Amino acid sequence: MLNVALPKGRLGEKVYAMFEAAGFECPSIKENNRKLIFENEEKGVRYFWVKPSDVSIYVERGAADIGVAGKDILLEYEPDIYELLDLGIGKCRMTVAGPKDFYDDGVRTLRVATKFTHIASDYYASIGREIDIIKLNGSIEIAPILGLSDVIVDIVETGTTLKENNLEVKTTILPISARLIANKASLKFKAEQMEAIMKSMKEQVKAYD
Ligand code: PRP
């Protein structure tokens, strides 16, 4: 049985469609219910929906053989997995954002609110800027509005969240997209299925490029 961790949500549906096109369909997954695990015995595949930021944990520990995770999560947590392919979907960017009237004069220690403390620290270390990191778990955009931080390091997709909170992108740190990832042992022991998936997905990525 090949275990596949799918990121719950819109991205996950696109990802499932790619696995389906690769010949690993599992029609029961389209039933409208709250089940989290779906299996197609005939095809030898089992899918489960997990929180997007948890996919790499399942894959690293071998509970999933393969999965799809954002580059942001891979950079932030550095899981011990193989990154197989950039799927070219789930595109967004990691940015520094702040209030329109904020300008970093480089004098005071910069207060940075973020979920991505590792990415933020690495970025500011690379430009030699001293910062005070404030780790938050969500709704990062309100931190500068309430004076908790000067700027945020966060993901921007459409830019709507920033706009509606009167913030703007100051710097783009990195482009982000979804990556096909595999457990290191599974890549050896389930090589045939893994290679079939990789080959098909490569073709699918090329086709809509
Ligand atoms: C992400 C990010 C922004 C928003 C950006 O949040 O943290 O808040 O999406 O998207 P936009 O540019 O299209 O408006 P997410 O929905 O993942 O939720 P969370 O960070 O609060 O968990």
Side-chain angles (χ1 to χ4, degrees):
M1 194 59 85
L2 186 78
N3 289 299
V4 185
L6 295 174
K8 233 194 259 180
R10 213 158 20 100
L11 176 66
E13 283 162 28
K14 278 193 204 166
V15 169
Y16 169 71
M18 294 180 84
F19 277 94
E20 192 179 54
F24 290 84
E25 68 266 24
C26 181
S28 60
I29 206 167
K30 294 196 171 155
E31 285 165 13
N32 199 8
N33 58 33
R34 312 260 309 165
K35 263 172 69 172
L36 296 172
I37 303 184
F38 298 88
E39 200 171 300
N40 183 348
E41 241 176 89
E42 191 197 325
K43 291 279 171 185
V45 66
R46 182 193 291 138
Y47 291 97
F48 37 95
W49 295 112
V50 305
K51 207 175 150 141
S53 51
D54 288 342
V55 168
S56 64
I57 300 172
Y58 284 83
V59 172
E60 180 176 34
R61 292 178 171 263
D65 299 301
I66 195 162
V68 170
K71 185 67 180 173
D72 51 331
I73 299 298
L74 303 182
L75 289 169
E76 181 63 26
Y77 299 105
E78 298 183 337
D80 190 16
I81 48 91
Y82 286 132
E83 191 181 314
L84 303 179
L85 187 65
D86 183 345
L87 296 179
I89 54 175
K91 283 189 181 170
C92 52
R93 51 199 173 119
M94 186 66 68
T95 68
V96 176
K100 291 193 176 126
D101 58 3
F102 177 78
Y103 169 72
D104 180 12
D105 58 12
V107 177
R108 279 188 315 117
T109 299
L110 187 69
R111 297 169 307 152
V112 182
T114 188
K115 264 201 282 203
F116 301 96
T117 54
H118 190 169
I119 293 174
S121 303
D122 278 359
Y123 167 68
Y124 281 105
S126 78
I127 59 167
R129 179 72 171 102
E130 196 185 321
I131 60 165
D132 174 14
I133 282 265
I134 303 159
K135 158 91 176 158
L136 294 177
N137 297 299
S139 300
I140 320 293
E141 291 83 0
I142 64 173
I145 299 170
L146 298 178
L148 178 64
S149 73
D150 300 309
V151 294
I152 63 175
V153 167
D154 202 11
I155 281 169
V156 175
E157 191 183 351
T158 60
T160 310
T161 312
L162 289 184
K163 204 166 158 209
E164 293 190 354
N165 289 289
N166 292 313
L167 302 175
E168 66 179 14
V169 171
K170 303 288 184 187
T171 311
T172 293
I173 301 177
L174 292 161
I176 305 285
S177 57
R179 308 296 162 102
L180 185 66
I181 61 171
N183 173 267
K184 289 189 163 175
S186 304
L187 197 62
K188 247 190 251 157
F189 297 116
K190 299 186 181 177
E192 204 180 308
Q193 290 157 300
M194 295 285 208
E195 271 161 28
I197 289 169
M198 232 194 312
K199 180 164 178 275
S200 166
M201 290 207 177
K202 258 187 205 158
E203 284 163 9
Q204 294 181 53
V205 171
K206 238 194 242 160
Y208 60 59
D209 218 18

